[in-house]
């Protein structure tokens, strides 16, 4: 599918933009075989320019998830990269995105190109660029790819090779076992003390947890391939999970003497959510504090806690219990990964489900998080919500959190709101005086009663993202309603 410069000029009517983790677009409209044929070798070229001096080869890993035609897009990417002179190792099957990051690191490759749209609805597909260190590339790297879009990589005089591998034979799943007390988890399951549910959301985590635990006792929901995701999206949010939540609640009621844990994975298995025995969903706003306490107190781990600006205030409060330093980044796991590469890190996580660990690659990995969650429950003997409530009591900090995404009419509306925030920011929000405003990423307003509201815009689409943490859900929703009304005011 080689293209001359002239033949591709018409492909750039809609700009290709990389967001917080990759380029995504609507299949057949924005995300096409022709565009992947052009972008993939550019990504390989920039990987070599950026990391080639520290790698031992010119190998690029190419992988994919379970979305519509993902394997065909991966094949096109592999062929284009090889045509540009790079050796390609192409996956024979779907796998979690963090698996491909781990493989790139383990094989000392330049990096990995993964066909996935993560948690987006079924009409989307995307391309993530992972570096050989095992995590997402920085914004500077993706900007270099964007800058090269008008000049496709010419065919090499000596094309590279394409070899294939199966993700199950790479050692990734076995490596995850080494991070936890796998025997304790397996024993609790075998003895009937622990029941594990997993919702794969039709994504690439399917079968993964059972493989790691070497058991057929994991009760998995939505493990089949459904590129339409039942009309929803493979995102760990309660609105997409109600049947699973109800099933777990019913099981928990019928088995009061068992520990019951539900684990929820997004489409490419880099985001996680969890469910307690009563069918209550726990986002990483709650899971990260639980994991900080477990890793520090039961595992004796140390290192920095890295959170995004949208993370719960409970995270630093729990970190303080164990004298752990906290560092705050902009939203996007690539910023966490950058920090993880420079300092000893215990855990780095974001409110949207991504969590990574300093002893692993600098990448969010939902399967590893699921193992740590199971280990936490087994070692403590407590339900997840009980663990969270205990941390709130111990720190004296009670809060609730919610987020909403507000579609805007167009990018011009977005620009007008940005100008208003810069030149005329609110001094009072939902009846509360604004005490301070942080601009690490968007605008985070801290109010007089301790609540905070964060207003942040998507960089690639007209969407306003609103985040709020407050003492109770009524205050959260009142604050979010205020923000929505502010956004539509003339």
């Amino acid at each position: 599918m080689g293209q001359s410069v002239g033949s591709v000029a018409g492909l750039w009517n809609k700009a290709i933009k990389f967001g917080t983790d990759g380029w995504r677009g609507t299949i057949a409209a924005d995300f096409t075989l022709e565009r992947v044929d052009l972008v993939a070798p550019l990504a390989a070229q920039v990987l070599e320019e950026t990391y080639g001096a520290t790698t031992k080869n010119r190998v690029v890993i190419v992988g994919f998830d379970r979305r519509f035609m993902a394997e065909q897009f991966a094949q096109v990417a592999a062929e284009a990269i090889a045509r540009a002179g790079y050796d390609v190792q192409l996956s024979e099957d779907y796998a979690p995105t963090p698996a491909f990051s781990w493989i790139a690191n383990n094989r000392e490759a330049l990096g990995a190109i993964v066909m996935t749209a993560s948690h987006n609805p079924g009409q989307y597909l995307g391309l993530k660029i992972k570096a050989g260190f095992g995590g997402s590339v920085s914004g500077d790297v993706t900007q270099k790819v964007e800058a090269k879009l008008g000049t496709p990589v010419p065919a090499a005089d000596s094309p590279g090779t394409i070899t294939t591998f199966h993700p199950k034979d790479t050692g990734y799943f076995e490596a995850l076992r080494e991070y936890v007390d796998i025997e304790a988890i397996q024993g609790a399951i075998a003895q009937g003390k622990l029941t594990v549910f997993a919702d794969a959301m039709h994504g690439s985590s399917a079968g993964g947890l059972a493989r790691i635990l070497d058991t057929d006792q994991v009760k998995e929901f939505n493990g089949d391939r459904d590129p339409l995701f039942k009309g929803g999206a493979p995102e760990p949010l309660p609105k997409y999970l109600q049947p699973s939540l109800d099933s777990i609640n019913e099981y928990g009621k019928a088995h009061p003497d068992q520990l019951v844990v539900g684990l929820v994975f997004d489409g490419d298995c880099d985001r996680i959510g969890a469910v307690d025995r009563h069918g209550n969903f726990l986002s990483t706003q709650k899971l990260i504090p639980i994991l900080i306490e477990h890793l520090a107190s039961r595992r004796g781990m140390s290192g920095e806690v890295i959170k995004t600006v949208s993370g719960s205030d409970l995270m630093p409060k729990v970190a303080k219990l164990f004298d752990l330093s906290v560092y705050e980044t902009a939203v996007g796991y690539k910023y966490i990964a950058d920090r993880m590469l420079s300092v000893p890190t215990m855990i780095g996580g974001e409110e949207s489900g991504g969590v990574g660990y300093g002893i692993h690659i600098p990448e969010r990995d939902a399967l590893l998080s699921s193992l740590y969650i199971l280990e936490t429950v087994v070692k403590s003997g407590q339900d997840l919500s009980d663990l969270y409530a205990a941390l709130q009591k111990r720190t004296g900090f009670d809060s609730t959190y919610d987020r909403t995404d507000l579609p805007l009419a167009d990018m011009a509306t977005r620009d007008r709101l940005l100008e208003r925030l810069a030149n005329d920011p609110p001094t009072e929000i939902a009846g509360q005086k604004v005490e301070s405003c942080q601009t690490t990423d968007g605008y985070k307003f801290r109010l007089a009663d301790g609540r905070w509201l964060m207003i942040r815009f998507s960089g690639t689409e007209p969407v306003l993202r609103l985040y709020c943490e407050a003492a109770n859900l009524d205050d959260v929703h009142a604050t979010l309603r205020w923000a929505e009304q502010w956004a539509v005011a003339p």
Side-chain angles (χ1 to χ4, degrees), residues 378-396:
V378 169
K379 294 292 187 178
S380 68
Q382 298 182 64
D383 185 66
L384 285 171
S385 285
D386 292 338
L387 288 165
Y388 181 73
L391 286 176
Q392 288 186 305
K393 183 176 181 180
R394 187 173 175 184
T395 59

Side-chain angles (χ1 to χ4, degrees), residues 189 210 213-219:
I189 294 172
L213 296 175
D214 191 23
T215 178
D216 60 1
Q217 297 303 303
V218 174
K219 300 181 184 296

Side-chain angles (χ1 to χ4, degrees), residues 415-437:
D415 293 341
R416 285 196 298 273
L417 292 176
L418 274 171
E419 183 178 359
R420 192 193 308 174
L421 284 167
N423 298 324
D424 187 25
T427 57
E428 184 176 293
I429 293 175
Q432 293 291 317
K433 180 183 177 183
V434 173
E435 296 283 333
S436 65
C437 178

Side-chain angles (χ1 to χ4, degrees), residues 235-243 245 281-282:
E235 185 172 8
L237 294 175
K239 64 181 179 180
Y240 300 124
L241 300 170
Q242 200 57 55
L245 301 180
F281 178 77
L282 288 84

Side-chain angles (χ1 to χ4, degrees), residues 12 14-24 38-46 49 127 129 137-152 334 459-460:
W12 310 110
K14 294 182 180 179
I16 290 176
K17 297 289 292 181
F18 283 79
T20 55
D21 193 9
W23 158 49
R24 298 173 199 175
L38 290 164
V39 173
L42 291 175
Q45 186 181 68
V46 173
E49 292 171 357
L127 184 153
I129 307 174
V137 297
S138 67
D140 291 342
V141 174
T142 55
Q143 287 171 13
K144 290 178 182 178
V145 176
E146 292 175 359
K148 291 176 177 285
L149 288 174
T151 55
K334 61 186 177 184
T460 57

